Amino acid sequence: MKYVSLPEEPFRPLSFYLATEDYLAQHMEGDDEDYLFMWQVEPSVIYGRNQVVENEVNLDYCREHGIQVYQRKSGGGCVYADQDNLMLSYVTREENVGFAFNRFVTMVLLVLRKMGIEATGTTHNDIMIGERKLCGTACRRTAKGCIVHSTMLYDTNMEHMLNAITPGPEKLEKKGIQSVRQRITLLKDYTSLSLDEVKTLIRETLCHGERILTEKEICIIGEKVK
């Protein structure tokens, strides 16, 4: 699997990275090359393809605090992201969604175990430490394979996360919890590695080789989000 390098520039809008996933899915090189890249964004809420934004997001709170709101093409639940957590994108030729999910979750579990952290995957493709969620994942089919993306909670602005996302009480009751905070955990509480060191470990563990996006490719991707 190749690591995709993006230009070292200030944080881009989340829509740019989602468009990068699409671009890579359409322009895969080699017969068996998969891609991985990692990214961070300014405070943003991302809700799934089948969700109604008013039911999932506190839009007034997001407007008041400058939190951007995006809808992605994949299914799954609503997530909050900022500069202190890590987004992972896996672009693969694997056409079976279940196999793609399983391969991605297995790779993340491998990295965590190298860090000395015993984590597990669930039937919903979440990654858990004990009873709390560290990563949520979503996947969608493309013309040439699948895209899997995940939010890894290294650290985060907990106040924003708890106020920007508004799951209904029936959803919480279904999970047997009283609050979102009860459900999640942060990677920084289990490792002495910095976020940059975690990113390096992920890349060195999972990737062999590199694809550097050219300025022309960056411009093409940028045009898709204007």
Side-chain angles (χ1 to χ4, degrees):
M1 180 165 64
K2 284 187 176 179
Y3 184 77
V4 178
S5 292
L6 304 176
E8 292 292 336
E9 294 185 7
F11 295 112
R12 295 176 180 271
L14 186 143
S15 54
F16 173 85
Y17 299 106
L18 297 181
T20 300
E21 293 177 342
D22 287 337
Y23 179 84
L24 291 170
Q26 294 167 11
H27 299 85
M28 300 192 78
E29 298 174 346
D31 294 332
D32 57 357
E33 284 291 0
D34 291 345
Y35 296 124
L36 177 75
F37 70 98
M38 296 177 278
W39 42 286
Q40 293 153 269
V41 290
E42 299 289 353
S44 304
V45 168
I46 314 103
Y47 63 102
R49 178 188 62 221
N50 300 315
Q51 293 185 302
V52 178
V53 63
E54 291 83 3
N55 295 343
E56 306 291 337
V57 182
N58 185 335
L59 294 172
D60 289 338
Y61 182 89
C62 289
R63 281 190 289 266
E64 181 181 351
H65 293 86
I67 299 171
Q68 301 299 307
V69 178
Y70 299 90
Q71 185 176 32
R72 62 178 185 270
K73 296 178 182 178
S74 57
C78 186
V79 298
Y80 168 81
D82 58 29
Q83 302 98 317
D84 293 321
N85 56 36
L86 183 61
M87 311 298 284
L88 303 170
S89 292
Y90 171 54
V91 183
T92 175
R93 290 186 184 277
E94 174 57 64
E95 296 182 353
N96 185 294
V97 170
F99 289 166
F101 259 135
N102 184 65
R103 187 179 299 168
F104 176 80
V105 169
T106 299
M107 290 190 294
V108 175
L109 291 176
L110 172 64
V111 174
L112 292 172
R113 286 168 186 158
K114 287 188 71 172
M115 297 168 63
I117 298 170
E118 286 300 321
T120 57
T122 73
T123 55
H124 296 290
N125 302 298
D126 293 333
I127 295 172
M128 313 286 288
I129 299 178
E131 297 298 318
R132 295 191 173 190
K133 183 163 72 171
L134 175 69
C135 300
T137 61
C139 181
R140 66 180 177 88
R141 283 285 309 274
T142 69
K144 297 182 179 179
C146 289
I147 294 171
V148 184
H149 34 216
S150 176
T151 304
M152 178 179 284
L153 291 172
Y154 178 85
D155 194 5
T156 195
N157 184 319
M158 196 60 66
E159 182 177 357
H160 283 351
M161 174 175 283
L162 298 180
N163 286 286
I165 298 175
T166 56
E170 69 283 351
K171 183 180 294 186
L172 296 176
E173 289 171 6
K174 184 178 179 181
K175 294 179 180 295
I177 58 176
Q178 296 178 341
S179 70
V180 173
R181 183 65 185 94
Q182 224 180 1
R183 168 73 169 159
I184 64 172
T185 194
L186 301 175
L187 185 58
K188 70 169 187 174
D189 295 333
Y190 300 88
T191 182
S192 61
L193 297 180
S194 68
L195 179 54
D196 283 342
E197 289 170 332
V198 170
K199 291 166 65 176
T200 297
L201 180 63
I202 292 171
R203 178 173 177 174
E204 291 179 348
T205 301
L206 302 180
C207 299
H208 302 278
E210 179 181 34
R211 177 171 173 180
I212 301 174
L213 292 180
T214 66
E215 288 300 325
K216 180 179 179 180
E217 288 178 310
I218 294 295
C219 289
I220 292 172
I221 295 168
E223 286 297 322
K224 294 180 181 294
V225 298
K226 287 184 177 178

